[in-house]
Amino acid sequence: AQKVTQAQTEISVVEKEDVTLDCVYETRDTTYYLFWYKQPPSGELVFLIRRNSFDEQNEISGRYSWNFQKSTSSFNFTITASQVVDSAVYFCALSAPGNQFYFGTGTSLTVIP
Amino acid sequence: NAGVTQTPKFRILKIGQSMTLQCAQDMNHNYMYWYRQDPGMGLKLIYYSVGAGITDKGEVPNGYNVSRSTTEDFPLRLELAAPSQTSVYFCASSGWGSSYEQYFGPGTRLTVT
């Protein structure tokens, strides 16, 4: 069975602080894909990153970075020097070829100016 | 490209009424999905389609029906609306299935009273 757990329901940080959003997943597939999406207050879902199970290299994109560790079944997301515009709900998701997407329950991030 | 479009944006239904939520995409994607998002619950898959004429149930299909007569359109039908169907509904599409990112529409906020 596929499952994604985002244990942090809500996080508040002060602007310019770094923040890490945790994502732990469960799957029996050897080939699978992990995703992060951002849902700002306006409500749309914005794709951030896709990672396949064979690529454990960390990725950095500007102030965003992702740490994928198969040994702990985690795919954590770090925002460096947070900004007010980063305030949103962030979803982690898991899929395997031919299967559905499974979303976590989301982490609501508030960046306080 | 308009991407994924959904109509209406908001709707209030009385218990027992029926309605169709419209979804269209102009990216020539084969894969299309319907999700519902309840507060604090993440996104749950209702139905999905891997191409015109082919649909399948997701995690929470009861009370809904879909059809896919063209590549572009994937309407979701609610029959005999119930308060439990109060939710935000998102349509999404993907070019290559669940191994790749999905692109989401802006959502339809439905209230059943």
Side-chain angles (χ1 to χ4, degrees):
Chain A
Q2 323 272 13
K3 185 178 179 182
V4 175
T5 301
Q6 294 180 256
Q8 304 154 307
T9 306
E10 296 180 359
I11 300 176
S12 291
V13 298
V14 176
E15 199 170 22
K16 298 184 182 178
E17 286 184 345
D18 299 347
V19 58
T20 295
L21 310 182
D22 298 332
C23 174
V24 174
Y25 62 92
E26 295 176 29
T27 181
R28 293 178 182 168
D29 293 289
T30 55
T31 301
Y32 53 89
Y33 301 85
L34 296 162
F35 304 81
W36 276 96
Y37 282 84
K38 174 182 180 180
Q39 187 176 41
S42 53
E44 74 274 22
L45 282 142
V46 178
F47 164 73
L48 294 178
I49 190 171
R50 166 184 177 269
R51 175 67 70 203
N52 75 56
S53 54
F54 299 107
D55 183 1
E56 286 193 73
Q57 276 194 329
N58 291 336
E59 179 153 343
I60 298 174
S61 176
R63 295 184 297 106
Y64 294 172
S65 62
W66 291 269
N67 183 344
F68 176 30
Q69 291 194 334
K70 289 178 75 170
S71 60
T72 56
S73 297
S74 64
F75 186 42
N76 296 337
F77 173 30
T78 297
I79 301 174
T80 303
S82 59
Q83 299 177 2
V84 173
V85 293
D86 295 327
S87 296
V89 180
Y90 291 87
F91 291 96
C92 181
L94 165 71
S95 77
N99 288 351
Q100 308 168 11
F101 264 53
Y102 293 88
F103 283 82
T105 51
T107 296
S108 177
L109 174 66
T110 301
V111 181
I112 303 164
Chain B
N1 275 358
V4 180
T5 57
Q6 292 182 238
T7 55
K9 289 188 177 179
F10 304 93
R11 183 73 186 269
I12 299 174
L13 279 182
K14 295 188 184 302
I15 295 172
Q17 287 184 324
S18 300
M19 76 163 294
T20 298
L21 280 65
Q22 300 293 342
C23 174
Q25 52 91 10
D26 62 0
M27 297 175 282
N28 202 32
H29 284 172
N30 283 325
Y31 296 80
M32 295 187 75
Y33 309 82
W34 273 107
Y35 293 90
R36 58 178 289 171
Q37 183 181 24
D38 300 321
M41 296 299 290
L43 283 82
K44 299 287 187 182
L45 183 66
I46 304 171
Y47 271 96
Y48 66 100
S49 170
V50 301
I54 306 170
T55 63
D56 208 346
K57 296 178 180 178
E59 195 177 354
V60 290
N62 291 344
Y64 307 94
N65 277 302
V66 294
S67 59
R68 183 96 182 270
S69 56
T70 66
T71 298
E72 294 77 19
D73 301 298
F74 191 38
L76 177 71
R77 177 83 177 163
L78 277 73
E79 305 282 1
L80 299 175
S84 60
Q85 293 179 304
T86 294
S87 190
V88 180
Y89 291 85
F90 287 98
C91 179
S93 73
S94 172
W96 300 98
S98 61
S99 304
Y100 290 81
E101 61 270 22
Q102 298 180 1
Y103 295 92
F104 284 81
T108 294
R109 185 174 295 274
L110 176 68
T111 302
V112 181
T113 61

